[in-house]
Amino acid sequence: MAEAVERAKGKRVCKPIVYGNTATPFGFKRESDGHTHSWTVFIKPYHYEDPSVYIKKVQFKLHDSYATPTRVIEKPPFEVTETGWGEFEVQMRIYFVDSSEKPITAFHYIRLFQPIVTLPSGVQQVVAEYYDEIVFQEPT
Ligand SMILES: O=C(Nc1ccc(C(=O)N2CC(c3nccs3)C2)s1)[C@@H]1CCCN1
């Protein structure tokens, strides 16, 4: 109720987003660290638009075994590329250009093995992504 009072009635702005990860197997276990895959965790607009218009930065929290597990990305693309051998949960915290908008948190479980998609190039890749919407209540 307090928030409703704080914000004058105004139009609602919806920003469709996609978040998730892609992954590509090395095809072997790397001798140095046992890693088997390269993966990229991301959050991006669903439509073709510049996310920096409304997203200031995104904080990705990886598994603590990674060096510097908290990664802050301050300009698009809002993504982190790493290598590894297993699947685990990543926390993503989205900070907005409008500082009156509270940051929001999403969680994504890194997938390395499925679902497999075949890209137009014929290359096979794991793509695990989810659709969501960020809704802003714009004051008048
Ligand atoms: O896999 C899992 N957890 C994982 C956490 C981190 C993983 C990983 O891939 N890596 C740590 C990173 C480094 N290695 C060396 C230096 S940094 C590469 S895997 C769980 C276990 C059961 C199901 N999922």
Side-chain angles (χ1 to χ4, degrees):
M1 184 56 193
E3 281 188 14
V5 169
E6 277 169 25
R7 280 188 171 275
K9 286 194 183 307
K11 66 176 179 173
R12 182 170 296 203
V13 175
C14 173
K15 291 293 185 185
I17 59 168
V18 175
Y19 65 90
N21 79 277
T22 59
T24 305
F26 293 155
F28 58 89
K29 179 183 281 191
R30 196 159 59 189
E31 283 283 312
S32 58
D33 53 18
H35 292 195
T36 55
H37 290 72
S38 170
W39 52 257
T40 298
V41 61
F42 60 83
I43 180 166
K44 61 186 179 182
Y46 178 78
H47 299 296
Y48 185 76
E49 58 183 343
D50 178 0
S52 62
V53 169
Y54 60 97
I55 296 177
K56 180 168 68 177
K57 62 182 180 182
V58 179
Q59 174 185 277
F60 295 86
K61 282 195 172 178
L62 310 182
H63 190 272
D64 285 341
S65 52
Y66 281 89
T68 320
T70 299
R71 313 275 176 90
V72 180
I73 309 301
E74 305 208 346
K75 60 181 179 183
F78 294 114
E79 63 186 35
V80 170
T81 296
E82 264 293 354
T83 63
W85 46 264
E87 300 176 318
F88 58 91
E89 185 173 78
V90 173
Q91 180 196 83
M92 296 172 284
R93 193 157 174 77
I94 306 167
Y95 293 82
F96 298 109
V97 169
D98 177 353
S99 54
S100 71
E101 290 288 344
K102 291 179 183 171
I104 61 171
T105 300
F107 296 88
H108 174 67
Y109 192 76
I110 296 287
R111 309 287 304 280
L112 298 185
F113 308 103
Q114 58 182 351
I116 294 175
V117 302
T118 302
L119 303 178
S121 64
V123 169
Q124 292 200 320
Q125 190 176 43
V126 169
V127 180
E129 56 186 17
Y130 301 88
Y131 173 92
D132 207 337
E133 295 173 348
I134 300 174
V135 180
F136 300 103
Q137 182 66 39
E138 292 295 326
T140 49

mmCIF file of all heavy atoms in Angstrom, residues 14-19 42-51 54-55 129-134:
data_model
loop_
_atom_site.group_PDB
_atom_site.id
_atom_site.type_symbol
_atom_site.label_atom_id
_atom_site.label_comp_id
_atom_site.label_asym_id
_atom_site.label_seq_id
_atom_site.Cartn_x
_atom_site.Cartn_y
_atom_site.Cartn_z
ATOM 1 N N CYS A 14 6.143 -2.663 -19.471
ATOM 2 C CA CYS A 14 6.579 -4.062 -19.376
ATOM 3 C C CYS A 14 7.796 -4.288 -20.279
ATOM 4 O O CYS A 14 7.772 -3.899 -21.438
ATOM 5 C CB CYS A 14 5.437 -4.976 -19.800
ATOM 6 S SG CYS A 14 5.929 -6.702 -19.921
ATOM 7 N N LYS A 15 8.843 -4.867 -19.711
ATOM 8 C CA LYS A 15 10.058 -5.147 -20.485
ATOM 9 C C LYS A 15 10.288 -6.654 -20.527
ATOM 10 O O LYS A 15 10.756 -7.243 -19.549
ATOM 11 C CB LYS A 15 11.262 -4.455 -19.845
ATOM 12 C CG LYS A 15 11.231 -2.930 -19.956
ATOM 13 C CD LYS A 15 11.389 -2.497 -21.381
ATOM 14 C CE LYS A 15 11.486 -0.977 -21.506
ATOM 15 N NZ LYS A 15 11.513 -0.556 -22.937
ATOM 16 N N PRO A 16 9.919 -7.298 -21.638
ATOM 17 C CA PRO A 16 10.185 -8.731 -21.738
ATOM 18 C C PRO A 16 11.689 -9.020 -21.784
ATOM 19 O O PRO A 16 12.428 -8.304 -22.469
ATOM 20 C CB PRO A 16 9.516 -9.129 -23.059
ATOM 21 C CG PRO A 16 8.582 -8.022 -23.390
ATOM 22 C CD PRO A 16 9.212 -6.775 -22.821
ATOM 23 N N ILE A 17 12.112 -10.021 -21.019
ATOM 24 C CA ILE A 17 13.519 -10.405 -21.004
ATOM 25 C C ILE A 17 13.661 -11.907 -21.182
ATOM 26 O O ILE A 17 12.692 -12.669 -21.019
ATOM 27 C CB ILE A 17 14.210 -9.991 -19.663
ATOM 28 C CG1 ILE A 17 13.516 -10.655 -18.472
ATOM 29 C CG2 ILE A 17 14.281 -8.476 -19.538
ATOM 30 C CD1 ILE A 17 14.305 -10.545 -17.167
ATOM 31 N N VAL A 18 14.877 -12.310 -21.529
ATOM 32 C CA VAL A 18 15.248 -13.724 -21.589
ATOM 33 C C VAL A 18 16.499 -13.889 -20.743
ATOM 34 O O VAL A 18 17.418 -13.055 -20.834
ATOM 35 C CB VAL A 18 15.529 -14.173 -23.037
ATOM 36 C CG1 VAL A 18 16.026 -15.613 -23.073
ATOM 37 C CG2 VAL A 18 14.283 -14.010 -23.899
ATOM 38 N N TYR A 19 16.517 -14.932 -19.886
ATOM 39 C CA TYR A 19 17.743 -15.216 -19.136
ATOM 40 C C TYR A 19 17.997 -16.712 -19.170
ATOM 41 O O TYR A 19 17.080 -17.520 -19.383
ATOM 42 C CB TYR A 19 17.647 -14.694 -17.690
ATOM 43 C CG TYR A 19 16.604 -15.366 -16.847
ATOM 44 C CD1 TYR A 19 16.915 -16.499 -16.096
ATOM 45 C CD2 TYR A 19 15.298 -14.879 -16.794
ATOM 46 C CE1 TYR A 19 15.951 -17.123 -15.318
ATOM 47 C CE2 TYR A 19 14.333 -15.496 -16.015
ATOM 48 C CZ TYR A 19 14.667 -16.610 -15.282
ATOM 49 O OH TYR A 19 13.708 -17.227 -14.505
ATOM 50 N N PHE A 42 23.464 -15.405 -19.067
ATOM 51 C CA PHE A 42 23.104 -14.088 -19.598
ATOM 52 C C PHE A 42 21.707 -13.655 -19.167
ATOM 53 O O PHE A 42 20.879 -14.479 -18.757
ATOM 54 C CB PHE A 42 23.156 -14.121 -21.127
ATOM 55 C CG PHE A 42 22.222 -15.132 -21.729
ATOM 56 C CD1 PHE A 42 20.874 -14.834 -21.922
ATOM 57 C CD2 PHE A 42 22.663 -16.410 -22.079
ATOM 58 C CE1 PHE A 42 19.996 -15.782 -22.458
ATOM 59 C CE2 PHE A 42 21.796 -17.362 -22.611
ATOM 60 C CZ PHE A 42 20.463 -17.039 -22.796
ATOM 61 N N ILE A 43 21.483 -12.383 -19.286
ATOM 62 C CA ILE A 43 20.147 -11.818 -19.252
ATOM 63 C C ILE A 43 20.098 -10.770 -20.366
ATOM 64 O O ILE A 43 21.029 -9.961 -20.507
ATOM 65 C CB ILE A 43 19.793 -11.214 -17.869
ATOM 66 C CG1 ILE A 43 18.395 -10.636 -17.910
ATOM 67 C CG2 ILE A 43 20.821 -10.194 -17.392
ATOM 68 C CD1 ILE A 43 17.837 -10.332 -16.538
ATOM 69 N N LYS A 44 19.060 -10.833 -21.201
ATOM 70 C CA LYS A 44 18.977 -9.932 -22.355
ATOM 71 C C LYS A 44 17.522 -9.603 -22.643
ATOM 72 O O LYS A 44 16.618 -10.344 -22.264
ATOM 73 C CB LYS A 44 19.617 -10.591 -23.586
ATOM 74 C CG LYS A 44 18.958 -11.873 -24.023
ATOM 75 C CD LYS A 44 19.739 -12.534 -25.155
ATOM 76 C CE LYS A 44 19.089 -13.841 -25.587
ATOM 77 N NZ LYS A 44 19.857 -14.520 -26.654
ATOM 78 N N PRO A 45 17.285 -8.502 -23.356
ATOM 79 C CA PRO A 45 15.911 -8.183 -23.735
ATOM 80 C C PRO A 45 15.372 -9.244 -24.697
ATOM 81 O O PRO A 45 16.143 -9.820 -25.483
ATOM 82 C CB PRO A 45 16.025 -6.835 -24.459
ATOM 83 C CG PRO A 45 17.353 -6.291 -24.070
ATOM 84 C CD PRO A 45 18.229 -7.479 -23.814
ATOM 85 N N TYR A 46 14.080 -9.493 -24.631
ATOM 86 C CA TYR A 46 13.470 -10.440 -25.589
ATOM 87 C C TYR A 46 13.423 -9.822 -26.990
ATOM 88 O O TYR A 46 13.673 -10.482 -27.988
ATOM 89 C CB TYR A 46 12.059 -10.782 -25.106
ATOM 90 C CG TYR A 46 11.295 -11.712 -26.002
ATOM 91 C CD1 TYR A 46 11.553 -13.078 -25.997
ATOM 92 C CD2 TYR A 46 10.328 -11.220 -26.870
ATOM 93 C CE1 TYR A 46 10.851 -13.939 -26.833
ATOM 94 C CE2 TYR A 46 9.620 -12.073 -27.701
ATOM 95 C CZ TYR A 46 9.900 -13.428 -27.671
ATOM 96 O OH TYR A 46 9.208 -14.271 -28.507
ATOM 97 N N HIS A 47 13.120 -8.496 -26.999
ATOM 98 C CA HIS A 47 13.079 -7.785 -28.280
ATOM 99 C C HIS A 47 14.446 -7.132 -28.587
ATOM 100 O O HIS A 47 15.297 -7.049 -27.702
ATOM 101 C CB HIS A 47 12.001 -6.696 -28.247
ATOM 102 C CG HIS A 47 10.617 -7.231 -28.026
ATOM 103 N ND1 HIS A 47 9.983 -8.066 -28.926
ATOM 104 C CD2 HIS A 47 9.764 -7.088 -26.967
ATOM 105 C CE1 HIS A 47 8.796 -8.379 -28.460
ATOM 106 N NE2 HIS A 47 8.630 -7.805 -27.284
ATOM 107 N N TYR A 48 14.614 -6.677 -29.827
ATOM 108 C CA TYR A 48 15.874 -6.025 -30.211
ATOM 109 C C TYR A 48 15.865 -4.598 -29.678
ATOM 110 O O TYR A 48 15.297 -3.688 -30.284
ATOM 111 C CB TYR A 48 16.022 -6.038 -31.739
ATOM 112 C CG TYR A 48 17.346 -5.494 -32.196
ATOM 113 C CD1 TYR A 48 18.515 -6.234 -32.087
ATOM 114 C CD2 TYR A 48 17.442 -4.189 -32.712
ATOM 115 C CE1 TYR A 48 19.742 -5.725 -32.498
ATOM 116 C CE2 TYR A 48 18.664 -3.656 -33.108
ATOM 117 C CZ TYR A 48 19.808 -4.443 -32.993
ATOM 118 O OH TYR A 48 21.017 -3.925 -33.390
ATOM 119 N N GLU A 49 16.412 -4.408 -28.467
ATOM 120 C CA GLU A 49 16.496 -3.062 -27.870
ATOM 121 C C GLU A 49 17.733 -2.998 -26.981
ATOM 122 O O GLU A 49 18.291 -4.013 -26.575
ATOM 123 C CB GLU A 49 15.237 -2.776 -27.039
ATOM 124 C CG GLU A 49 14.980 -3.769 -25.915
ATOM 125 C CD GLU A 49 13.678 -3.471 -25.172
ATOM 126 O OE1 GLU A 49 13.162 -2.350 -25.301
ATOM 127 O OE2 GLU A 49 13.198 -4.371 -24.461
ATOM 128 N N ASP A 50 18.151 -1.753 -26.684
ATOM 129 C CA ASP A 50 19.344 -1.549 -25.854
ATOM 130 C C ASP A 50 18.952 -1.661 -24.383
ATOM 131 O O ASP A 50 18.255 -0.797 -23.857
ATOM 132 C CB ASP A 50 19.926 -0.157 -26.145
ATOM 133 C CG ASP A 50 21.152 0.144 -25.281
ATOM 134 O OD1 ASP A 50 21.533 -0.727 -24.460
ATOM 135 O OD2 ASP A 50 21.701 1.249 -25.431
ATOM 136 N N PRO A 51 19.418 -2.713 -23.696
ATOM 137 C CA PRO A 51 19.009 -2.894 -22.290
ATOM 138 C C PRO A 51 19.560 -1.815 -21.367
ATOM 139 O O PRO A 51 19.027 -1.590 -20.290
ATOM 140 C CB PRO A 51 19.557 -4.277 -21.919
ATOM 141 C CG PRO A 51 20.691 -4.497 -22.858
ATOM 142 C CD PRO A 51 20.314 -3.784 -24.139
ATOM 143 N N TYR A 54 17.432 0.838 -19.580
ATOM 144 C CA TYR A 54 16.758 0.657 -18.285
ATOM 145 C C TYR A 54 17.523 -0.202 -17.285
ATOM 146 O O TYR A 54 17.270 -0.152 -16.090
ATOM 147 C CB TYR A 54 15.331 0.100 -18.486
ATOM 148 C CG TYR A 54 15.249 -1.228 -19.185
ATOM 149 C CD1 TYR A 54 15.142 -2.410 -18.464
ATOM 150 C CD2 TYR A 54 15.239 -1.306 -20.573
ATOM 151 C CE1 TYR A 54 15.037 -3.617 -19.099
ATOM 152 C CE2 TYR A 54 15.136 -2.530 -21.221
ATOM 153 C CZ TYR A 54 15.033 -3.692 -20.483
ATOM 154 O OH TYR A 54 14.928 -4.906 -21.130
ATOM 155 N N ILE A 55 18.543 -0.949 -17.751
ATOM 156 C CA ILE A 55 19.362 -1.749 -16.835
ATOM 157 C C ILE A 55 20.720 -1.075 -16.651
ATOM 158 O O ILE A 55 21.442 -0.846 -17.626
ATOM 159 C CB ILE A 55 19.556 -3.183 -17.356
ATOM 160 C CG1 ILE A 55 18.222 -3.926 -17.421
ATOM 161 C CG2 ILE A 55 20.542 -3.955 -16.454
ATOM 162 C CD1 ILE A 55 18.318 -5.337 -17.997
ATOM 163 N N GLU A 129 17.095 -21.401 -21.694
ATOM 164 C CA GLU A 129 16.726 -20.010 -21.444
ATOM 165 C C GLU A 129 15.243 -19.902 -21.083
ATOM 166 O O GLU A 129 14.440 -20.767 -21.430
ATOM 167 C CB GLU A 129 17.062 -19.114 -22.637
ATOM 168 C CG GLU A 129 16.470 -19.507 -23.934
ATOM 169 C CD GLU A 129 16.990 -18.634 -25.088
ATOM 170 O OE1 GLU A 129 18.032 -17.953 -24.938
ATOM 171 O OE2 GLU A 129 16.347 -18.645 -26.136
ATOM 172 N N TYR A 130 14.940 -18.842 -20.347
ATOM 173 C CA TYR A 130 13.592 -18.634 -19.832
ATOM 174 C C TYR A 130 13.124 -17.227 -20.137
ATOM 175 O O TYR A 130 13.917 -16.291 -20.126
ATOM 176 C CB TYR A 130 13.578 -18.880 -18.315
ATOM 177 C CG TYR A 130 14.021 -20.275 -17.960
ATOM 178 C CD1 TYR A 130 15.378 -20.556 -17.771
ATOM 179 C CD2 TYR A 130 13.115 -21.321 -17.899
ATOM 180 C CE1 TYR A 130 15.812 -21.841 -17.490
ATOM 181 C CE2 TYR A 130 13.534 -22.616 -17.624
ATOM 182 C CZ TYR A 130 14.885 -22.864 -17.422
ATOM 183 O OH TYR A 130 15.305 -24.146 -17.159
ATOM 184 N N TYR A 131 11.840 -17.098 -20.403
ATOM 185 C CA TYR A 131 11.222 -15.810 -20.677
ATOM 186 C C TYR A 131 10.647 -15.256 -19.379
ATOM 187 O O TYR A 131 10.107 -16.014 -18.553
ATOM 188 C CB TYR A 131 10.107 -15.978 -21.710
ATOM 189 C CG TYR A 131 9.275 -14.738 -21.958
ATOM 190 C CD1 TYR A 131 9.610 -13.832 -22.962
ATOM 191 C CD2 TYR A 131 8.147 -14.472 -21.179
ATOM 192 C CE1 TYR A 131 8.859 -12.700 -23.193
ATOM 193 C CE2 TYR A 131 7.388 -13.336 -21.402
ATOM 194 C CZ TYR A 131 7.750 -12.454 -22.411
ATOM 195 O OH TYR A 131 7.006 -11.334 -22.633
ATOM 196 N N ASP A 132 10.789 -13.943 -19.194
ATOM 197 C CA ASP A 132 10.127 -13.296 -18.054
ATOM 198 C C ASP A 132 9.861 -11.839 -18.437
ATOM 199 O O ASP A 132 10.224 -11.410 -19.538
ATOM 200 C CB ASP A 132 11.020 -13.384 -16.793
ATOM 201 C CG ASP A 132 10.188 -13.348 -15.516
ATOM 202 O OD1 ASP A 132 9.038 -12.826 -15.563
ATOM 203 O OD2 ASP A 132 10.670 -13.830 -14.476
ATOM 204 N N GLU A 133 9.208 -11.125 -17.561
ATOM 205 C CA GLU A 133 8.889 -9.722 -17.849
ATOM 206 C C GLU A 133 9.209 -8.878 -16.620
ATOM 207 O O GLU A 133 8.874 -9.284 -15.487
ATOM 208 C CB GLU A 133 7.407 -9.569 -18.210
ATOM 209 C CG GLU A 133 7.054 -10.269 -19.499
ATOM 210 C CD GLU A 133 5.562 -10.257 -19.760
ATOM 211 O OE1 GLU A 133 4.794 -9.916 -18.836
ATOM 212 O OE2 GLU A 133 5.157 -10.579 -20.901
ATOM 213 N N ILE A 134 9.895 -7.751 -16.854
ATOM 214 C CA ILE A 134 10.121 -6.777 -15.789
ATOM 215 C C ILE A 134 9.037 -5.718 -15.953
ATOM 216 O O ILE A 134 8.879 -5.142 -17.040
ATOM 217 C CB ILE A 134 11.521 -6.134 -15.893
ATOM 218 C CG1 ILE A 134 12.605 -7.203 -15.800
ATOM 219 C CG2 ILE A 134 11.698 -5.092 -14.796
ATOM 220 C CD1 ILE A 134 14.010 -6.681 -16.047
#
